[in-house]
Amino acid sequence: MSGSRQARPPAPANRPPLPSQDGRTCVVTGSTSGLGRETALALAQAGAHVVLAARSEEKIEQTRTAITRQVPGARLDSLVADLADLASVRHAAGRAARLGAIDVLVNNAGVMATPRTRTVDGLDLQMATNHFGPFLLTGLLLPQLVASGRGRVVNVSSAMHHLARSAPLGDPRGAHGRYRRWPVYAQTKLANLLMMFELDRRCREAGLPVEALAAHPGYAATHLLSYGQTMRASGPLSSILDATARATAQSATAGALPILMAATADLPGGTFCGPDGFQELRGGPTVVRPSRLARDSSAQRALWELSERTVGLAWP
Ligand SMILES: NC(=O)c1ccc[n+]([C@@H]2O[C@H](COP(=O)([O-])OP(=O)(O)OC[C@H]3O[C@@H](n4cnc5c(N)ncnc54)[C@H](OP(=O)(O)O)[C@@H]3O)[C@@H](O)[C@H]2O)c1
């Protein structure tokens, strides 16, 4: 952990101040880029002890330096986890024990519309990164979320979940037919909501003090599109796609607002936050409506049971 307590500079003008997060520990996955970095910055700004979770140690250090420059005295920690590798997630969760109680886990990391790729676990890369890895991480961190007395899990979904025609309930390691990268992405974002509702219900039924919420950022200028199309962090095509996103989307700072709302506002479990503008593409944070399929309790339960078998963890 770095830094000592100092007076914090005010939040940037385009981001209203959050409720104080002093004394709270918030884990943010995918904190090295885009929305995750903005979320981590804002939580640090509000006084949280922020755990920068990501797959690259080097990028975590760069992010830590950047946040510390903006928030002198920020309380930052790191957690290396490759969400597309179940062994890496288990290893990370083991190391996370030293963090003690966790108040908020933001499952933000994700990839979008990547080419067909199988992970070391034999899973589709998008499903592994966006759903199975976060499902396992959340399950393994649950005791620490419980220990906080009022833990909160925030799954970062997408308005694109509305495009999913069915829940991803096929054999995740089985032979797949034609791979269509955009429909698969939409299904992973539907999975984020199905998991959120089922987690919230299971915790309530088990009497555990953990609630689950979800958020989506609308359309925000990040590295998501270019990474999915190029599978590279940089390069000429990445630069063009990043510039396109910057020219057409709202800022990552604005996109992070619904995530911050879900992470910090006084809202009940099962709430979904998103932007209030045209087609939820941009705007201020508000409560939005998930698709009918996302609210289908049999799909929620079926995905949960499939996910437990896939990652080898039955919980809560
Ligand atoms: N931007 C939008 O308009 C938009 C819209 C709807 C939903 N979302 C959702 O917002 C979330 C954040 O995306 P973003 O837009 O901020 O994209 P981004 O700039 O590409 O950031 C994605 C983050 O996820 C991390 N990540 C990717 N694969 C990972 C893995 N295997 N293990 C651990 N971390 C991994 C990346 O790490 P590296 O830095 O190492 O690559 C990066 O930190 C995603 O869940 C996405 O689906 C975004």
Side-chain angles (χ1 to χ4, degrees), residues 30-36 55-56 59 81-84 108-111 129 156-158 185 189 217-220 222-224:
S31 52
T32 51
S33 180
L35 303 165
R55 59 181 162 176
S56 155
K59 282 191 180 178
D82 182 347
L83 291 166
N108 161 79
V111 290
T129 311
V156 179
S157 178
S158 164
Y185 176 70
K189 295 288 110 180
Y219 175 34
T222 68
H223 201 50
L224 190 69

Side-chain angles (χ1 to χ4, degrees), residues 17-69:
L18 297 178
S20 170
Q21 301 297 307
D22 272 337
R24 289 163 67 77
T25 295
C26 305
V27 179
V28 182
T29 70
S31 52
T32 51
S33 180
L35 303 165
R37 186 161 55 191
E38 288 295 327
T39 301
L41 171 64
L43 291 170
Q45 177 78 50
H49 164 209
V50 179
V51 182
L52 303 170
R55 59 181 162 176
S56 155
E57 210 159 347
E58 191 188 334
K59 282 191 180 178
I60 290 176
E61 279 317 304
Q62 289 165 2
T63 305
R64 181 200 286 269
T65 304
I67 292 180
T68 306
R69 204 175 298 129

Side-chain angles (χ1 to χ4, degrees), residues 288-309:
V288 295
R289 193 169 166 76
S291 68
R292 197 156 51 88
L293 193 44
R295 289 179 279 119
D296 177 343
S297 58
S298 55
Q300 292 161 7
R301 191 177 331 107
L303 181 67
W304 188 277
E305 289 167 1
L306 176 74
S307 304
E308 286 184 331
R309 290 195 299 277

Side-chain angles (χ1 to χ4, degrees), residues 8-296:
R8 289 188 298 275
N14 54 354
R15 191 178 64 229
L18 297 178
S20 170
Q21 301 297 307
D22 272 337
R24 289 163 67 77
T25 295
C26 305
V27 179
V28 182
T29 70
S31 52
T32 51
S33 180
L35 303 165
R37 186 161 55 191
E38 288 295 327
T39 301
L41 171 64
L43 291 170
Q45 177 78 50
H49 164 209
V50 179
V51 182
L52 303 170
R55 59 181 162 176
S56 155
E57 210 159 347
E58 191 188 334
K59 282 191 180 178
I60 290 176
E61 279 317 304
Q62 289 165 2
T63 305
R64 181 200 286 269
T65 304
I67 292 180
T68 306
R69 204 175 298 129
Q70 286 179 269
V71 190
R75 301 179 63 222
L76 302 174
D77 225 314
S78 64
L79 188 65
V80 179
D82 182 347
L83 291 166
D85 177 343
L86 298 177
S88 170
V89 173
R90 286 184 181 277
H91 193 62
R95 276 179 285 111
R98 72 191 150 84
L99 298 170
I102 295 172
D103 296 278
V104 180
L105 167 63
V106 183
N107 285 319
N108 161 79
V111 290
M112 180 173 78
T114 44
R116 177 175 225 156
T117 309
R118 287 279 173 162
T119 68
V120 289
D121 302 297
L123 301 169
D124 166 67
L125 178 66
Q126 293 199 74
M127 275 301 292
T129 311
N130 296 2
H131 172 66
F132 289 118
F135 179 86
L136 178 61
L137 182 69
T138 309
L140 293 172
L141 296 185
L142 189 73
Q144 286 164 267
L145 287 154
V146 169
S148 75
R150 193 172 177 194
R152 187 175 279 203
V153 176
V154 177
N155 279 1
V156 179
S157 178
S158 164
M160 280 190 67
H161 84 275
H162 285 283
L163 303 182
R165 300 238 173 91
S166 61
L169 297 175
D171 176 1
R173 292 191 174 94
H176 293 166
R178 195 156 79 90
Y179 174 78
R180 296 190 303 145
R181 53 173 87 191
W182 289 100
V184 170
Y185 176 70
Q187 281 193 315
T188 69
K189 295 288 110 180
L190 173 64
N192 298 149
L193 288 166
L194 294 169
M195 173 191 152
M196 178 275 282
F197 283 118
E198 188 69 12
L199 171 59
D200 193 64
R201 174 171 38 251
R202 286 183 182 235
C203 286
R204 220 176 319 112
E205 287 172 1
L208 296 172
V210 175
E211 54 202 4
L213 293 85
H216 83 82
Y219 175 34
T222 68
H223 201 50
L224 190 69
L225 176 66
S226 66
Y227 184 80
Q229 299 308 300
T230 66
M231 298 287 279
R232 291 164 60 97
S234 59
L237 182 55
S238 295
S239 303
I240 292 168
L241 292 170
D242 283 344
T244 306
R246 279 197 301 276
T248 53
Q250 66 174 346
S251 68
T253 306
L257 293 179
I259 302 172
L260 291 164
M261 179 180 176
T264 65
D266 188 13
L267 292 166
T271 303
F272 185 30
C273 301
D276 64 4
F278 177 66
Q279 293 194 342
E280 298 175 18
L281 286 169
R282 58 177 68 227
T286 189
V287 175
V288 295
R289 193 169 166 76
S291 68
R292 197 156 51 88
L293 193 44
R295 289 179 279 119
D296 177 343

